[in-house]
Amino acid sequence: MHDDSRERSAPARLSGVRGMNDVLPDEDPLWRAFEEAVADTMRACGYRQIRTPILEQTRLFVRSIGEVTDIVEKEMYSFTDVLNGEDLTLRPENTAGVVRAVIEHNLLYDGPKRLWYAGPMFRHERPQKGRYRQFHQVGAEALGFPGPDADAEVILLCQRLWDQLGLAGISLEINSLGSAPERQTHRAALIEHFESHRSELDTDAQRRLRSNPLRILDTKNPEMAGVVESAPQLIDFLGDESRAHFERLQALLKAQNLPFRINPRLVRGLDYYNLTVFEWVAKVSGSTLTVCGGGRYDPLIEMLGGKPAPACGFAIGVERVLELMRTQGGEPTQAQCDVYVVHHGEATLEAAMQAAERVRDAGFDVILHCGGGSFKSQFRRADASGAQFALILGTDEVARGEASIKWLRAGSRDAKPASGESRQSTVALERVAQALADAIAGDAQPDS
Ligand code: HAM
């Protein structure tokens, strides 16, 4: 048979999807530190984790986030499942999915619930620093609580997390979107205002004038700053109940010494909110970014077919918080491996594998050298692994039922060899784990 493989050109290199990042092993300690702080904080506040699918029916997001929003209009990864014709979307956020699951499994049957989630979300935005097409959120949802105590609770939960992560400089902005009738009245006033300044509106704003005038307030177009600045503010249209809710929230935050700023322009980019909305903003690599956004969404559960129940929550942009952790010096170092097992190839492999398993059983992190090679090259690998000890199984040692322990460096567990880091000792194979533990404790020498 003719072999034409040499004539073929090399296959083209594949790359990841634009705006979707790999998290490489060197970055993992930072992610892990963040995830552990999140899990601790959620537990401390009585929140339990829920995991919902990444794919949902497209109509879930259209109905909840709103048809005339950036997310639904132009940022969703939607497709028709060719196998059954279903319209599906990669979740752009997870409040809708959580509410869908809460309704589907009747989770509120025995009272309110505190839930949290973490995972990837997908939005087809223009990628830039802090803005990706696959990004990660950690979110919390307090479902079934009508009062401002729950609003305060979710906000304090965020502050607790910033504190736990040692982060400073994240400031809180709050606003109230009132109730639907109050927004209707404000909306009419807004339309009237923008109508009378039509010539100052860009095409996007003109298109939104009647469909979603509130979103015009959120414009990033500096030329519209004046017309937005002079627009009527929703806060002036709040009725007694909405005002009382907002004032009580402020009092609760003040009582906990949590500083905030009322931002009457804060409208959020999703349609399901009422009453309280909030954002945590911080300077991330020179630009001001929202690291967390949330609020109350009392109408959503009913809108998605559930028994009416109030709710509030937030979602944190994980990549943005990680960037803050990097810039504020909270980056943890790479976790070290404790022991690297060096051995003499086939003849010693079984004994080395068994020794590695025993040492792991004793709670050490162990890398067993794979693939043979000289002792010299294996020691190079041992060094590169960051291991504190090399465990050496040569042919003669294995024949005697022994192994050698060599100190490579002072380890993360504060062990210091009594007489220099180049020390090496021989121990019986069944005593290896104990000898390592003794060496680390520093209260005994490995056997000689
Ligand atoms: P959101 O404001 O759309 O709210 O997103 C929350 C956070 O996710 C943002 O503040 C930002 O930090 C991060 N984020 C959003 N888009 C991107 C992106 N393209 N790249 C990187 N990070 C991004 C929600 O998603 C609501 N579900 C929050 C919520 C929960 N409200 C009530 N409960």
Side-chain angles (χ1 to χ4, degrees), residues 93 95 123 125 130 132 137 141 268 272-273 290 313-314 317:
E93 61 100 57
T95 306
R123 295 184 195 177
E125 297 192 73
Y132 309 104
Q137 283 186 344
E141 314 291 356
R268 310 273 302 129
Y272 47 61
Y273 293 108
T290 304
F314 63 79

Side-chain angles (χ1 to χ4, degrees), residues 41 45 47 148-164 172 249 252-259 278 280 314:
T41 306
C45 298
Y47 283 69
D149 49 352
D151 308 28
E153 174 177 297
V154 295
I155 289 173
L156 285 166
L157 196 162
C158 295
Q159 181 61 54
R160 173 169 284 277
L161 180 62
W162 313 143
D163 290 345
Q164 175 133 5
L172 173 64
L249 168 66
L252 289 171
L253 296 178
K254 279 184 191 147
Q256 299 307 314
N257 292 321
L258 206 161
F278 62 89
W280 291 89
F314 63 79

Side-chain angles (χ1 to χ4, degrees), residues 50-53 56 96-111 113 115 301 304-307:
I50 181 165
R51 299 168 205 259
T52 59
E56 296 275 1
V98 168
V99 168
R100 196 255 322 127
V102 162
I103 297 169
E104 199 166 332
H105 303 284
N106 197 20
L107 289 190
L108 298 183
Y109 81 101
D110 61 349
K113 290 284 173 302
L115 303 175
I301 300 181
L304 294 179
K307 223 172 97 200

Side-chain angles (χ1 to χ4, degrees), residues 51-119:
R51 299 168 205 259
T52 59
I54 285 168
L55 267 185
E56 296 275 1
Q57 312 250 13
T58 300
R59 62 175 178 269
L60 171 68
F61 301 116
V62 177
R63 247 207 265 174
S64 56
I65 298 170
E67 218 152 342
V68 194
T69 55
D70 281 349
I71 297 178
V72 170
E73 278 185 339
K74 51 188 186 203
E75 293 172 0
M76 295 211 301
Y77 284 90
S78 300
F79 60 95
T80 305
D81 184 336
V82 288
L83 298 178
N84 60 9
E86 271 186 307
D87 288 326
L88 302 176
T89 292
L90 282 172
R91 62 182 186 193
E93 61 100 57
N94 205 29
T95 306
V98 168
V99 168
R100 196 255 322 127
V102 162
I103 297 169
E104 199 166 332
H105 303 284
N106 197 20
L107 289 190
L108 298 183
Y109 81 101
D110 61 349
K113 290 284 173 302
R114 293 176 168 86
L115 303 175
W116 74 277
Y117 57 83

